Amino acid sequence: MSALRFALRAFWRDLRAGQLTVLIAALAIAVAAQCTVGFFTSRLARAMDQQSGELLAADLKLEAGRPLDPDDRYAGEARRRGISVARTLGFTSMVYARGQGQLASLRGVTAAYPLRGRVRLATEPFGPAHEVGTAPAVGEAWVDGRLLATLGLRVGDSVEIGVAHLRVGAVLDYRPDQGSGFADLSPTVLVGYDDLLATGLIQPGSRATWAELYAGDPGRVASFGAWLKATHDAGSRLVEAGEASAQLGSALSRSQRFLSLASLATIVLAAISVAITARRYATRHRDSAALLRCLGCSRRRVLALSALELSFAALLACGLGASLGFGAQALLAALVGQLLAGPLPPPTLTPVALAAATTALMMFGFALAPLLELKDTPPARVLSRNLEPARLRYGLPYVLALGALVAILFLLIGDTRLVSYAAGGLAAAGLVFFAAGLALVRVAALLRGSAGVAWRYGIANLARRRLASAMQIVAFGLGLTVLLLLLVVRRDLLGEWHRSLPANAPNHFLINIQPAEVAGVVSFFTAHGVASPVLYPWVRARLTDVNGTPVERLKLTGDRARGFAEREQNLSWSATLPADNRLVSGTWWGEQPSSEPSVSVASEYSEDLGIRPGDRMGFDVAGERIVATVANVRKVRWDSFRPNFFLLFRPGVLDAAAGTYMTSVYLSQAQRPALAEFVRRYPTVSVFDVDAILNQVRRVIDRAALGVESVSLFTILAGIVVLLAMVEASQDERRYESATLRTLGARRALVVGSVAVEFVSLGALAGLLAAATAELAHYSLSVRLFGLPYGADPWLWLLGPVAGAVLVGGAGMLAARRVVNSPPALVLRAG
Amino acid sequence: MPLSQASTGVGPDSLPGPVLQATALCKEVSSPEGRLTILDDVSFAVDGGASVAIVGPSGAGKSTLLSLLAGLDVPTSGTVRLCGVDLSTEDEDGRASVRARHVGFVFQSFHLLPSLTAIEQVMLPLELAGDGAARARAAAVLGEVGLAARLRHYPRQLSGGEQQRVAIARAFVTRPQVLFADEPTGNLDTATGALVADLLFGLNAAAGTTLVLVTHQAELAARCGQRLNLAGGRLVGP
């Protein structure tokens, strides 16, 4: 009979006899958790991509400062690939009505616009809005409420743009790609693409932006994007979804990193389960292996039979787990779907392949070592049961386990930095746990005489199996570390999001406030019950040189760097470091104004232009040259929705050049109508409404938070599986001891009590070590990976030991209860 | 001691020449008190078809001797020749192969695999040897030991005597040249033990198998043609 058939029969027999149930359950739940996370996060990530696509009104945008794609080459290729295309044209010009003129941002769009997201219209300025799925009809203009208020117009009136007369069809409340930066400051007028061309305002050399928008199936868009990247001409710029918003970008990348961390945690816990259950399988099969060898089986064959048998178990677990995972994610998606604007994209099958590969690696790394030992079971064990296989040398089991873990991490995460942190951290934590575990067990052993019999027997058990106890501390400790870490990082992340976007985050920016209007603006808002706003001076300037090198000669890579160097920049000044800024290098100046020109630059600016403290930057401020020394570099939290500047000067340098002021305020729905009066009173002040964007960001963050919550749930599930595996494993160990003790007259309570003492101590020791490790890892992850502020967490030190004692102790007690419930005679006779 | 009480009880059906030969066997192990000698210069030979009882008090080295004879363990010095093969020249897997071809075992604690039914237990050695008719042969042997009605029972559903009969069927199904039995009736009551012993000696006689058994029980030892008396790791007089 071939080994394969033999192993299949052995598998079937063991399966029937319930010997593989726990291993299969452990693997299946691990695969299920991983598939659920995989299916769900891939769907969620793609939904998030689409959501961020909304900020672009497309998945991909190609834009240029001159007519784009005149021969329909890109659009034709996109349509050929089944991708939707829309065109936009934008420029700034005057809009006239009733003999009054006002500067506006004109935007012409083709009928398919927007490809992602919806335009919202209202019937009166700052009134309630509704979504529409179409572009403006021919001859119709959708006009920003500010402009209508300024010009005193209503829906149905006519506006004059160039040579064209257009009817005001609706009040434009929101368009998906209105952006959250300050590029589009003027109020928007949205018209048909051809209507805008017909205004006659576009002449050769006009300053306008032509753009082509693309959206469709993610795979197709990705391949089209690659094609476009390679073929688009040098004068055009390709923008991908995700680049569209700094605010969303940081929330998304943090949540994706967290999901990676959570899936990593699930894998580590699953690996611990596999290690425990595979060792238990090997232990339980020692007698069989000895018998097989006694009956003439070679060692290779014993290994092949057990490896094949476990492979069948793994295959079955994979199938079960994947189906379970698919079901669970569908359920989760249905729950999440109710909160989402659109349907989630369908799941991909990649997670199943990944889960299968991970399972194979887990089996190889964590189950092979016990099987290698199993094959060396001395055949003489059939005569003397105390003969056990020799342990593998050279720490082979740990090398295999760590190797497999690193391979799994690379497979799943692919982020070298995250993997090296995790693998290095886990290996170091494992070693420290082992050493500290040994030491703690030794200390605990000194206390064995200090309490009753249960205590003494429990602690004696810990001390007797010193190495095994230390290894258990490693396993529980790592598991608890992962869970604790996930708990605190998750809390930090969610807390940070809620802090960054509180309910009263500023939702309106006011720009172009003249110095003479500052007092009036402040009193206007305080009179309307709005907290007194902080006004920032605002100066437009152009960078001319860095350390004497003209910007034209600077070596710049990337569009952002070129933008910093070539476009007009917004400068401001401040005596104090803004609350949502953090100093990265250099020092902050004192509060005293100084004529010594110093400038503080944002970290993006410093990275892109290679600027460091001590460098000298030259600016052209309204024709006047100012040279300032870089005093420091700041990390700016762009997602705070407060005015922030790439370049901040020391007070006293630019005061004379101060053109205007800006501020941000929070207006509730009830306070919004006051804006109409404000715009009439201060017609030159530009009011910029970010409420819609704020809500959009909040929605994405809510999704990300839900993803984070649900993924954490699965990690906890994986933790429970570890405990189940442990219950089973420890049950085997304890059956004979318990039976012997009870035969000698020990009461059930004593047996349960001694096991409780042993496991509660083990859990508390592991929890204490886990708290220390989690605190360290928390610091490193917060600061380095998530860019979140770190605060030591005293709760962790309480939660670790208590959770360890309760969880591990509880699992041990559960095992003990089952053990004491089986009659001792039966146990002893079963031999 | 040179060849002690050797080949005195060779039965009428026995094959010519010794099928099992131990020469100057020594076994030492490390212990907290230093080197401990379990077996010291044990030599004897057993002819084909003979029945041999290894007897002696607890700790005399009976089980250790059995494991050396069956190639389950290796001696510190000395040699074992089993069915014409010098076990000291074979590695672990070579010795396993000798066992697969020539040896059967019966143990005090039966050593049945809890996940296998009676017939599967008996099929196991045949399957390992690649026998295509394993099921039919196993069923036949189980019939011979009186368990035709218990083929699909798991060990936990069988009495001690029945479990040992399954173990005997498993040992005999490959028609081994040598059968090693370690306290085969040690876990059974007197009546069941006697039944099992009858079966063992009956099959031994019918198949011409050489029977080597370790026992504490005088009656069982008395039924053997040859006795090896161990005390303190050495062979002593009867």
Side-chain angles (χ1 to χ4, degrees):
Chain A
M1 178 184 276
S2 71
L4 195 70
R5 265 186 70 195
F6 189 87
L8 201 56
R9 293 189 54 163
F11 164 67
W12 177 237
R13 288 166 189 156
D14 273 353
L15 190 67
R16 231 173 20 179
Q19 295 227 5
L20 295 171
T21 315
V22 175
L23 179 70
I24 290 174
L27 276 175
I29 293 175
V31 170
Q34 204 189 327
C35 277
T36 312
V37 169
F39 283 139
F40 183 66
T41 53
S42 76
R43 292 179 76 177
L44 204 64
R46 282 186 301 146
M48 285 175 179
D49 280 349
Q50 285 188 4
Q51 180 82 30
S52 63
E54 227 179 81
L55 296 184
L56 210 61
D59 295 335
L60 209 59
K61 177 167 92 168
L62 189 67
E63 64 180 19
R66 52 192 161 75
L68 185 72
D69 200 14
D71 48 4
D72 248 12
R73 189 168 151 237
Y74 308 135
E77 177 66 23
R79 288 195 193 97
R80 201 183 60 72
R81 292 170 183 250
I83 291 167
S84 316
V85 182
R87 281 195 175 145
T88 67
L89 164 63
F91 57 89
T92 307
S93 186
M94 295 299 284
V95 173
Y96 295 94
R98 297 178 179 171
Q100 249 189 302
Q102 182 74 31
L103 195 66
S105 164
L106 304 175
R107 184 164 285 244
V109 296
T110 55
Y113 173 92
L115 298 179
R116 295 276 179 234
R118 292 286 183 107
V119 171
R120 276 207 303 272
L121 301 177
T123 48
E124 55 181 298
F126 309 109
H130 60 278
E131 283 187 350
V132 291
T134 52
V138 175
E140 193 175 281
W142 294 346
V143 184
D144 188 298
R146 290 172 286 162
L147 190 66
L148 287 183
T150 316
L151 294 175
L153 291 174
R154 286 183 182 188
V155 173
D157 291 346
S158 175
V159 288
E160 200 180 315
I161 305 173
V163 298
H165 290 268
L166 300 167
R167 194 182 77 89
V168 177
V171 178
L172 179 65
D173 181 73
Y174 166 77
R175 62 184 168 90
D177 53 345
Q178 64 190 23
S180 55
F182 300 118
D184 299 323
L185 287 179
S186 336
T188 305
V189 177
L190 200 67
V191 300
Y193 190 84
D194 293 332
D195 278 351
L196 192 58
L197 285 177
T199 58
L201 292 171
I202 291 289
Q203 303 293 333
S206 293
R207 272 179 68 96
T209 305
W210 278 262
E212 213 160 75
L213 309 180
Y214 313 98
D217 169 75
R220 291 181 185 184
V221 170
S223 82
F224 175 68
W227 176 83
L228 200 56
K229 201 172 255 177
T231 49
H232 79 88
D233 61 81
S236 56
R237 189 171 89 94
L238 190 63
V239 188
E240 285 169 83
E243 286 174 29
S245 157
Q247 286 90 342
L248 272 189
S250 97
L252 284 185
S253 82
R254 277 182 195 165
S255 72
Q256 275 170 359
R257 284 185 166 185
F258 180 87
L259 296 184
S260 292
L261 186 77
S263 89
L264 184 150
T266 316
I267 297 303
V268 172
L269 290 171
I272 294 173
S273 300
V274 170
I276 295 174
T277 48
R279 184 148 292 284
R280 173 171 176 265
Y281 169 88
T283 310
R284 291 192 79 151
H285 282 73
R286 271 181 200 164
D287 287 343
S288 314
L291 185 73
L292 282 174
R293 293 198 59 201
C294 181
L295 294 178
C297 231
S298 68
R299 280 176 299 179
R300 248 177 67 184
R301 189 151 186 181
V302 170
L303 177 66
L305 290 175
S306 52
L308 275 171
E309 187 178 344
L310 288 193
S311 304
F312 295 138
L315 265 175
L316 181 65
C318 255
L320 283 175
S323 327
L324 210 67
F326 194 82
Q329 69 82 30
L331 196 72
L332 203 60
L335 287 175
V336 175
Q338 294 169 356
L339 299 175
L340 301 184
L344 275 176
T348 62
L349 279 179
T350 325
V352 181
L354 271 181
T358 313
T359 308
L361 279 168
M362 262 199 273
M363 294 300 284
F364 182 81
F366 293 87
L368 186 61
L371 297 191
L372 286 174
E373 283 179 10
L374 182 66
K375 85 170 165 51
D376 284 328
T377 306
R381 184 180 163 90
V382 290
L383 296 174
S384 167
R385 281 196 74 177
N386 55 4
L387 287 175
E388 295 200 349
R391 290 270 168 177
L392 290 177
R393 278 185 291 178
Y394 314 119
L396 190 63
Y398 309 110
V399 173
L400 279 173
L402 192 67
L405 202 61
V406 170
I408 289 169
L409 297 183
F410 269 110
L411 189 70
L412 291 183
I413 293 160
D415 178 340
T416 316
R417 199 159 70 122
L418 196 57
V419 169
S420 48
Y421 274 142
L426 282 173
L431 281 177
V432 170
F433 278 4
F434 189 72
L438 276 181
L440 285 173
V441 168
R442 216 177 260 273
V443 170
L446 296 177
L447 305 173
R448 66 196 273 180
S450 56
V453 184
W455 171 267
R456 189 169 62 240
Y457 186 72
I459 295 294
N461 257 342
L462 264 189
R464 180 165 56 84
R465 290 189 286 254
R466 214 154 55 88
L467 283 181
S469 299
M471 277 317 296
Q472 278 177 321
I473 287 181
V474 174
F476 303 153
L478 283 182
L480 282 170
T481 304
V482 163
L483 284 176
L484 285 178
L485 190 59
L486 205 66
L487 209 68
V488 289
V489 172
R490 177 185 141 276
R491 191 204 51 198
D492 283 3
L493 203 60
L494 298 183
E496 183 67 12
W497 283 342
H498 286 292
R499 263 199 305 281
S500 73
L501 282 183
N504 58 355
N507 55 1
H508 289 83
F509 281 82
L510 301 142
I511 302 164
N512 259 347
I513 304 167
Q514 300 303 316
E517 293 171 329
V518 168
V521 167
V522 171
S523 61
F524 177 88
F525 284 111
T526 43
H528 281 87
V530 177
S532 174
V534 180
L535 274 79
Y536 290 84
W538 191 30
V539 178
R540 300 278 281 177
R542 205 175 274 278
L543 180 67
T544 54
D545 59 88
V546 176
N547 293 330
T549 310
V551 282
E552 304 79 47
R553 301 228 310 266
L554 291 176
K555 280 186 188 151
L556 302 170
T557 48
D559 290 332
R560 193 173 70 177
R562 274 191 287 278
F564 284 147
E566 293 161 9
R567 290 193 198 136
E568 273 206 321
Q569 302 295 311
N570 302 316
L571 314 183
S572 187
W573 64 86
S574 175
T576 53
L577 182 68
D580 39 17
N581 287 209
R582 184 164 56 84
L583 223 51
V584 176
S585 61
T587 51
W588 191 255
W589 46 73
E591 299 214 357
Q592 294 304 313
S594 163
S595 55
E596 176 66 30
S598 303
V599 63
S600 165
V601 301
S603 53
E604 292 86 353
Y605 211 93
S606 142
E607 285 157 19
D608 282 9
L609 298 184
I611 288 172
R612 289 186 193 80
D615 286 346
R616 293 178 68 74
M617 301 170 74
F619 295 93
D620 173 358
V621 185
E624 189 190 339
R625 180 171 157 79
I626 290 179
V627 178
T629 307
V630 177
N632 55 59
V633 177
R634 283 167 296 130
K635 180 96 189 152
V636 179
R637 282 251 328 267
W638 296 106
D639 53 7
S640 70
F641 280 83
R642 290 197 163 72
N644 265 305
F645 297 87
F646 283 113
L647 298 161
L648 262 185
F649 279 76
R650 182 171 189 167
V653 181
L654 293 174
D655 295 26
T660 58
Y661 285 76
M662 70 174 296
T663 189
S664 63
V665 290
Y666 168 73
L667 297 177
S668 67
Q669 199 60 37
Q671 290 165 331
R672 281 189 80 192
L675 276 179
E677 189 196 332
F678 181 86
V679 173
R680 269 195 298 278
R681 197 183 293 179
Y682 301 102
T684 55
V685 175
S686 299
V687 180
F688 189 66
D689 180 357
V690 293
D691 211 26
I693 292 171
L694 262 175
N695 284 334
Q696 203 178 2
V697 172
R698 280 206 185 95
R699 214 161 66 217
V700 171
I701 284 176
D702 282 347
R703 275 183 200 189
L706 199 75
V708 162
E709 298 276 5
S710 44
V711 172
S712 311
L713 201 70
F714 283 107
T715 311
I716 288 166
L717 196 67
I720 292 171
V721 179
V722 173
L723 288 179
L724 283 179
M726 209 190 83
V727 167
E728 287 293 333
S730 78
Q731 204 163 295
D732 286 346
E733 277 178 28
R734 263 150 248 282
R735 288 178 78 220
Y736 291 102
E737 282 173 18
S738 152
T740 310
L741 277 176
R742 288 180 60 206
T743 309
L744 292 175
R747 284 174 301 117
R748 285 163 53 111
L750 176 86
V751 178
V752 175
S754 73
V755 175
V757 166
E758 182 181 343
F759 275 86
V760 167
S761 322
L762 205 66
L765 294 181
L768 188 68
L769 289 169
T773 317
E775 186 75 75
L776 263 175
H778 177 204
Y779 169 76
S780 127
L781 285 179
S782 298
V783 174
R784 291 175 186 275
L785 203 65
F786 292 101
L788 295 174
Y790 163 80
D793 198 336
W795 277 104
L796 214 56
W797 295 89
L798 185 67
L799 188 65
V802 170
V806 169
L807 291 176
V808 179
M813 296 275 285
L814 195 66
R817 283 191 72 80
R818 282 205 218 155
V819 162
V820 293
N821 282 341
S822 48
L826 212 66
V827 176
L828 292 177
R829 200 165 45 221
Chain B
M1 187 191 299
L3 296 172
S4 72
Q5 295 102 358
S7 36
T8 47
V10 179
D13 303 336
S14 62
L15 300 168
V19 75
L20 176 64
Q21 186 165 11
T23 310
L25 279 185
C26 283
K27 181 69 181 176
E28 292 179 351
V29 292
S30 313
S31 76
E33 288 80 32
R35 300 290 288 174
L36 194 67
T37 303
I38 311 281
L39 286 177
D40 184 12
D41 192 26
V42 174
S43 301
F44 63 89
V46 180
D47 284 341
S51 57
V52 184
I54 301 172
V55 295
S58 288
K62 301 186 297 292
S63 291
T64 306
L65 178 60
L66 193 71
S67 66
L68 295 184
L69 295 178
L72 297 177
D73 198 359
V74 286
T76 311
S77 64
T79 57
V80 173
R81 223 180 152 71
L82 178 64
C83 300
V85 180
D86 180 355
L87 294 183
S88 60
T89 63
E90 298 292 325
D91 64 4
E92 282 275 350
D93 290 339
R95 295 196 297 275
S97 157
V98 172
R99 286 195 296 275
R101 280 180 283 132
H102 304 297
V103 176
F105 285 95
V106 175
F107 308 100
Q108 177 177 11
S109 51
F110 322 136
H111 278 310
L112 298 182
L113 299 177
S115 60
L116 303 193
T117 59
I119 189 157
E120 288 168 344
Q121 308 276 355
V122 182
M123 285 164 67
L124 185 63
L126 294 172
E127 287 174 343
L128 288 174
D131 190 323
R135 184 168 290 273
R137 287 186 59 188
V141 178
L142 277 169
E144 284 179 47
V145 299
L147 291 176
R150 292 275 194 272
L151 301 189
R152 299 195 189 290
H153 285 57
Y154 285 96
R156 62 174 185 278
Q157 298 166 318
L158 297 170
S159 70
E162 286 170 331
Q163 288 189 46
Q164 193 60 303
R165 278 191 276 161
V166 172
I168 289 170
R170 181 178 67 188
F172 272 103
V173 76
T174 53
R175 303 288 166 205
Q177 270 183 274
V178 184
L179 184 96
F180 291 102
D182 179 37
E183 302 274 14
T185 58
N187 269 357
L188 304 172
D189 62 63
T190 317
T192 315
L195 276 174
V196 164
D198 287 346
L199 198 58
L200 209 51
F201 282 98
L203 287 169
N204 163 237
T209 305
T210 304
L211 182 63
V212 179
L213 59 87
V214 165
T215 185
H216 268 111
Q217 287 162 316
E219 311 83 58
L220 198 60
R223 293 180 69 169
C224 292
Q226 184 182 352
R227 282 161 63 103
L228 296 172
N229 207 344
L230 270 179
R234 298 175 72 91
L235 278 180
V236 294

